[in-house]
């Protein structure tokens, strides 16, 4: 039975918790596929989204999910808030908490910011990405998407390719996939692939062709372009040559391999547009499933009273 007031990281959830989210998400997805988009479940609840870093899909997906469940939704605009007048983050959070929000959805560059917020407010807190540390709802929707199409994650081989070092998605995905019985191979250039991420059922390789030949599913990560300025990769062109998901590279595998990307993408760097839009790509399904998964999560968190 679901007992979590907050979702701060995927490691706090059991495999059963994740399955509970999936069962409910699939129900919401089926309703939505039949054109039913509005549910009264959270009509007495309110949610504020606090994004101190840019976002398109996570923020909009959370806001749509909460609205689909009839919650009141407010976006906190950091650039026009009293933070600009010097109000501290602590006072800002206390102020919002005093307004009685039931959910705070937080993205912040500081690792552990959502954990700190959860200790200081009475609202339920959801981590929408903290620095390079965790992005638990991305992991839930990625795992849901694999299960939706393949029926299971048990023994599924999932390669995650790119800037593993700085990727909160790679960290949270790996934890979720292992909990559900998958095997993971992490692949990237030596400077972006930390050796300490190797463990049971997690393989490491610098060679993308090895990863693609091994995998059933490959997740390409966004290459953050500042990595080139930091000297961690020689050039974007070289990165595309050595780690890009190109039609030529994929055609050499000689079998179907499913393609995922958490977004936002750098077309022509980590993935070619023709691959992202091909019939083996689940990228837009990830986005669609994210709404159902977040609806399920909000519904379950709401069951745990303050
Ligand atoms: N996948 C993801 O977190 O995308 P956004 O940065 O657009 O929210």
């Amino acid at each position: 039975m679901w007992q979590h007031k907050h979702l701060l990281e995927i490691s706090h959830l059991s495999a059963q918790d994740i399955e509970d989210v999936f069962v409910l998400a699939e129900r919401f997805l089926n309703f939505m596929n039949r054109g039913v988009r509005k549910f009264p479940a959270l009509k007495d609840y309110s949610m504020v989204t606090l994004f101190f870093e840019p976002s398109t899909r996570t923020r909009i997906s959370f806001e749509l999910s909460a609205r689909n469940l009839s919650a009141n939704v407010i976006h906190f605009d950091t650039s026009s808030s009293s933070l600009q007048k010097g109000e501290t983050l602590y006072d800002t959070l206390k102020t919002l908490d005093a307004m009685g929000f039931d959910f705070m959805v937080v993205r912040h560059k500081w690792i552990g910011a959502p954990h700190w917020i959860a200790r200081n407010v009475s609202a339920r807190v959801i981590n929408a990405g903290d620095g390079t540390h965790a992005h638990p709802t991305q992991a839930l929707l990625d795992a849901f998407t694999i299960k939706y199409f393949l029926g299971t994650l048990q023994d599924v081989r999932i390669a995650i390719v790119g800037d593993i070092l700085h990727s909160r998605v790679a960290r949270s995905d790996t934890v979720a996939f292992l909990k559900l019985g998958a095997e993971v191979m992490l692949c990237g250039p030596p400077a972006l692939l930390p050796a300490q991420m190797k463990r049971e059922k997690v393989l490491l390789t610098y060679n993308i062709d090895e990863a693609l030949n091994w995998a059933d599913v490959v997740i390409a990560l966004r290459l953050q372009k500042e990595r080139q300025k930091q000297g961690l990769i020689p050039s974007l062109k070289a990165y595309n040559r050595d780690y890009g998901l190109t039609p030529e590279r994929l055609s050499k595998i000689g079998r179907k391999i499913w393609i995922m990307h958490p977004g936002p993408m750098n077309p022509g760097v980590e993935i070619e547009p023709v691959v992202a839009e091909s019939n083996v790509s689940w990228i837009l399904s990830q986005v669609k499933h994210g709404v159902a998964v977040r609806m399920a999560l909000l519904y379950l968190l709401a069951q745990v009273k303050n």
Side-chain angles (χ1 to χ4, degrees):
M1 192 180 142
W2 185 271
Q3 292 183 325
H4 305 279
K5 178 178 170 187
H6 310 290
L7 178 60
L8 302 175
E9 43 193 285
I10 206 80
S11 60
H12 294 169
L13 301 184
S14 65
Q16 186 57 54
D17 291 329
I18 297 174
E19 294 293 350
D20 290 348
V21 175
F22 289 0
V23 167
L24 203 48
E26 190 160 0
R27 279 192 212 150
F28 281 129
L29 190 61
N30 289 338
F31 274 117
M32 288 192 288
N33 283 339
R34 296 204 302 269
V36 181
R37 290 180 176 272
K38 201 77 174 171
F39 306 84
L42 298 191
K43 69 180 174 46
D44 296 325
Y45 289 75
S46 55
M47 183 180 92
V48 60
T49 50
L50 299 122
F51 278 64
F52 299 90
E53 276 189 346
S55 168
T56 297
R57 64 223 83 220
T58 309
R59 179 167 81 81
I60 304 290
S61 177
F62 263 113
E63 293 179 359
L64 180 60
S65 304
R67 286 195 174 122
N68 284 351
L69 294 172
S70 306
N72 275 328
V73 177
I74 305 287
H75 171 57
F76 174 79
D77 181 1
T78 52
S79 65
S80 63
S81 75
S82 289
L83 286 168
Q84 303 305 326
K85 294 190 275 186
E87 186 167 46
T88 65
L89 181 56
Y90 181 83
D91 285 340
T92 301
L93 292 164
K94 286 292 189 189
T95 300
L96 295 172
D97 207 32
M99 292 181 195
F101 283 104
D102 300 288
F103 297 97
M104 292 189 184
V105 179
V106 182
R107 172 171 289 186
H108 204 290
K109 66 179 179 187
W110 295 342
I111 289 175
H115 305 63
W116 176 77
I117 293 170
R119 288 195 297 275
N120 284 287
V121 298
S122 57
R124 299 160 185 81
V125 177
I126 304 172
N127 183 356
D130 63 326
T132 57
H133 175 231
H135 193 347
T137 58
Q138 183 70 44
L140 287 174
L141 75 89
D142 287 348
F144 178 86
T145 298
I146 296 168
K147 181 156 188 201
Y148 182 85
F149 287 115
L150 300 185
T152 183
L153 275 84
Q154 189 65 47
D155 300 326
V156 173
R157 293 177 158 193
I158 306 164
I160 306 177
V161 178
D163 180 359
I164 306 294
L165 178 65
H166 300 95
S167 175
R168 56 193 175 208
V169 174
R171 282 182 183 76
S172 291
D173 271 1
T174 299
V175 175
F177 297 161
L178 293 181
K179 275 184 192 282
L180 299 175
E183 294 174 47
V184 175
M185 185 180 279
L186 303 174
C187 172
L192 299 175
L193 184 62
Q196 63 268 31
M197 287 186 79
K198 184 165 169 26
R199 66 188 119 133
E200 198 184 347
K201 300 221 174 196
V202 180
L203 304 168
L204 265 51
T205 181
Y206 304 138
N207 183 333
I208 190 172
D209 297 312
E210 183 190 346
L212 296 182
N213 278 309
W214 173 88
D216 303 306
V217 179
V218 60
I219 300 176
L221 299 173
R222 181 172 75 92
L223 183 77
Q224 297 174 25
K225 291 181 179 168
E226 60 270 28
R227 304 303 167 223
Q228 191 188 343
K229 290 191 202 112
Q230 293 168 344
L232 296 175
I233 55 163
S235 69
L236 297 181
K237 199 168 163 198
Y239 184 86
N240 178 259
R241 182 195 64 216
D242 295 340
Y243 292 98
L245 291 184
T246 62
E248 299 74 30
R249 178 162 270 141
L250 290 166
S251 69
K252 278 196 265 164
I253 305 169
R255 65 185 167 83
K256 209 176 244 186
I257 178 168
W258 303 104
I259 307 293
M260 299 174 70
H261 192 305
M265 291 185 282
N266 292 304
V269 182
E270 72 270 6
I271 190 165
E272 295 298 321
V274 69
V275 172
E277 294 184 11
S278 69
N279 60 7
V280 292
S281 167
W282 292 340
I283 294 171
L284 291 179
S285 295
Q286 289 172 265
V287 176
K288 178 177 176 178
H289 294 165
V291 176
V293 165
R294 291 184 173 108
M295 287 170 72
L297 177 68
L298 292 171
Y299 182 91
L300 289 168
L301 293 172
Q303 309 312 308
V304 179
K305 299 298 169 203
N306 283 337

